[in-house]
Amino acid sequence: MLDPFGRKARETISEFGGIEDFLLKIPEYIDIEEALQRVSWKDEPPEDVLNMEDWKDLMTFYALLGALSISPYGFEMELVRDRNVEIYLRRIRDSQSLEELSLNVKRVDEKEIPERDRLILEKLGHMELGDEEREKLRIAYKMWLRHFLPLWDGNLKGIYIKNSWAYLRRDDVLSLWRKAFERNIERAVNLLYDLRDDLPGFYSELHERLSELAREQFKERIEAIGSVGAEPLRFDLFPPCVRRALSGVGSGLRNYAITVLLTSFLSYARICPNPPRRNVRIKDCVKDLSVIEREILPLIIEAGNRCSPPLFEDQPNEIKNIWYHLGFGFTEKPSIEDSGNTTWYFPPNCDKIRANAPELCRPDRFCRGIKNPLTYYLKRLYIERRKGEGKKEGKGEENE
């Protein structure tokens, strides 16, 4: 299969009844080792992976995405993304047709480009060029500008544009496909994030094995910058809905913004940003209540006091509801042993926020493809870590 997000792949998944049913069926057809085979190689993709049957290729790939949904935006995602980019690019380069790709590209008719323009663009007058060079210069595909521009990071100076079409060489299409593939992986994992509690244990076990491979592969980087785990809150990386809740809201939104959204988001983001499962308890993550009482609860109370009218002055018992949503039961003075008396509420997904508190939802550019405020935060943390890693590498080169 050329593209796990292409038309053929979508049709196959649809035949199983959709993505959720497809993921439920995968453990019946493949085992964990077969899925890990896609990412456990180092220098070159093995031939048996490159030559997998379509059904097995699709299942092993989506098995990895199901595993990533357990804990997204870590080194595991980077490993899965990079290894599979190479696998599919190898196949695409060997393929004569690009029709199966998820990119919306079309073949160019020979008469579409004026002869004079083609002469310049493809350097047809340069007789010294060999067949291979000429083939690389040949403009064979086109793509609507509205599809092309969001994926193109390069200079538009070298792109032939006519009648709202971008005319492309084969290498241009491959660059666009790579960008689209990376976005599609992120979008798919965010979609599956809300389904992860319904997935069989196969995916948790696969994620554990995937984490082992990622730790081995990125050992030096992990030692240098650490993986995403419990750490002080980064307010500058919070999603827009959480920032709006922190600033205080009106009476109609107070309980949802403070008790439901803010309580769940702040507690998970500070204590357990990448929970291995939804039924985790606070006492599974911390030994006492000091982090909650010193760092999380004051933020919640301050946000409540900024509301109009102030939430906790108007509804003093709402503090008990805060503890209830943290998993300690309806109480005002819990102990760590009370953790688990009720469910530690997970942050509501974006669809629920839009439905229950649309005023909070003001998406920014990082919200694209995100389905939950917590994954937004994880994504921003991951991006910041990569930036920090790049700065360290730059300083290292300067010192050499």
Side-chain angles (χ1 to χ4, degrees):
M1 186 165 289
L2 286 185
D3 189 340
F5 300 111
R7 177 182 54 80
K8 186 176 180 181
R10 294 195 300 270
E11 289 175 355
T12 301
I13 292 172
S14 180
E15 289 173 3
F16 278 85
I19 186 62
E20 188 171 0
D21 289 334
F22 185 63
L23 289 174
L24 292 175
K25 285 288 185 182
I26 285 175
E28 298 177 15
Y29 290 86
I30 66 165
D31 59 37
I32 287 174
E33 296 302 327
E34 288 175 308
L36 291 174
Q37 193 178 13
R38 300 187 71 95
V39 295
S40 56
W41 53 273
K42 290 187 178 179
D43 298 321
E44 296 287 335
E47 288 298 320
D48 50 352
V49 171
L50 291 172
N51 298 320
M52 271 186 184
E53 294 181 66
D54 284 353
W55 69 267
K56 189 173 184 179
D57 180 76
L58 199 61
M59 285 193 164
T60 51
F61 176 76
Y62 274 88
L64 293 173
L65 296 194
L68 288 179
S69 74
I70 303 297
S71 183
Y73 293 112
F75 288 100
E76 296 86 357
M77 179 181 276
E78 193 169 334
L79 179 65
V80 170
R81 182 196 65 203
D82 293 350
R83 290 290 186 268
N84 282 281
V85 159
E86 292 305 316
I87 291 169
Y88 287 111
L89 272 178
R90 180 73 67 86
R91 293 177 186 164
I92 293 169
R93 290 191 183 106
D94 293 340
S95 173
Q96 295 299 315
S97 172
L98 302 182
E99 305 300 319
E100 195 182 314
L101 300 187
S102 54
L103 283 180
N104 194 4
V105 293
K106 296 182 180 296
R107 282 274 187 181
V108 173
D109 187 276
E110 288 294 329
K111 297 180 180 180
E112 278 189 59
I113 302 176
E115 187 176 341
R116 181 182 176 185
D117 291 350
R118 191 178 285 277
L119 183 70
I120 297 170
L121 293 166
E122 297 182 359
K123 298 183 179 180
L124 297 178
H126 292 249
M127 306 307 295
E128 73 278 7
L129 295 178
D131 292 341
E132 187 175 340
E133 288 87 352
R134 289 192 182 282
E135 185 60 30
K136 286 183 178 180
L137 290 170
R138 192 166 71 90
I139 296 177
Y141 301 94
K142 64 180 181 179
M143 188 176 188
W144 275 111
L145 272 178
R146 64 188 179 92
H147 297 142
F148 167 78
L149 290 174
L151 295 171
W152 186 253
D153 292 332
N155 195 323
L156 288 175
K157 200 172 183 180
I159 301 297
Y160 183 73
I161 298 174
K162 180 185 176 185
N163 297 331
S164 298
W165 289 95
Y167 288 80
L168 308 166
R169 299 178 175 90
R170 187 179 177 90
D171 284 348
D172 295 331
V173 175
L174 296 188
S175 296
L176 291 168
W177 176 85
R178 183 177 191 131
K179 185 77 172 179
F181 181 81
E182 292 173 354
R183 288 188 179 182
N184 283 332
I185 280 189
E186 182 179 337
R187 189 178 295 116
V189 171
N190 274 287
L191 176 67
L192 299 179
Y193 189 70
D194 281 341
L195 303 177
R196 62 184 186 153
D197 282 352
D198 299 322
L199 298 179
F202 170 89
Y203 293 98
S204 296
E205 186 178 346
L206 177 55
H207 181 266
E208 289 178 9
R209 296 287 303 281
L210 192 59
S211 295
E212 292 173 7
L213 284 174
R215 286 194 295 271
E216 180 182 344
Q217 174 68 25
F218 302 114
K219 183 179 179 181
E220 292 182 2
R221 288 173 55 193
I222 290 173
E223 290 175 351
I225 66 173
S227 58
V228 176
E231 59 182 50
L233 292 169
R234 289 286 305 273
F235 296 91
D236 56 319
L237 306 182
F238 282 3
C241 56
V242 171
R243 293 200 300 269
R244 290 178 69 85
L246 280 169
S247 65
V249 295
S251 59
L253 288 178
R254 292 180 307 171
N255 296 82
Y256 189 88
I258 305 302
T259 306
V260 178
L261 173 60
L262 209 54
T263 298
S264 57
F265 175 84
L266 292 176
S267 56
Y268 273 95
R270 175 61 182 90
I271 297 172
C272 190
N274 236 333
R277 59 187 188 280
R278 285 280 184 95
N279 60 345
V280 68
R281 302 167 300 180
I282 283 180
K283 67 181 179 183
D284 296 329
C285 308
V286 295
K287 296 179 180 179
D288 55 50
L289 297 180
S290 58
V291 172
I292 296 176
E293 293 174 338
R294 295 174 187 172
E295 299 182 37
I296 298 170
L297 204 56
L299 291 173
I300 295 171
I301 292 173
E302 287 173 12
N305 289 338
R306 294 191 190 102
C307 292
S308 179
L311 176 62
F312 299 107
E313 290 181 17
D314 194 38
Q315 301 176 25
N317 275 335
E318 193 63 14
I319 194 67
K320 295 180 181 179
N321 211 9
I322 298 295
W323 285 111
Y324 180 90
H325 280 74
L326 289 170
F328 292 88
F330 195 71
T331 180
E332 193 170 358
K333 294 184 178 180
S335 66
I336 190 66
E337 287 76 21
D338 295 322
S339 175
N341 285 349
T342 50
T343 299
W344 180 12
Y345 278 69
F346 197 73
N349 62 36
C350 298
D351 287 340
K352 290 181 179 177
I353 294 171
R354 279 192 292 270
N356 292 290
E359 295 91 338
L360 294 177
C361 188
R362 297 291 184 271
D364 63 14
R365 63 190 180 95
F366 294 104
C367 289
R368 184 172 182 173
I370 293 294
K371 302 295 182 183
N372 189 284
L374 191 59
T375 54
Y376 175 104
Y377 186 58
L378 290 172
K379 177 180 180 178
R380 296 291 306 274
L381 283 174
Y382 177 74
I383 292 171
E384 289 299 305
R385 288 171 183 274
R386 292 302 303 271
K387 287 180 181 177
E389 188 178 356
K391 289 178 181 178
K392 287 181 180 178
E393 289 178 358
K395 289 181 180 178
E397 291 174 0
E398 290 176 5
N399 294 332
E400 288 180 358

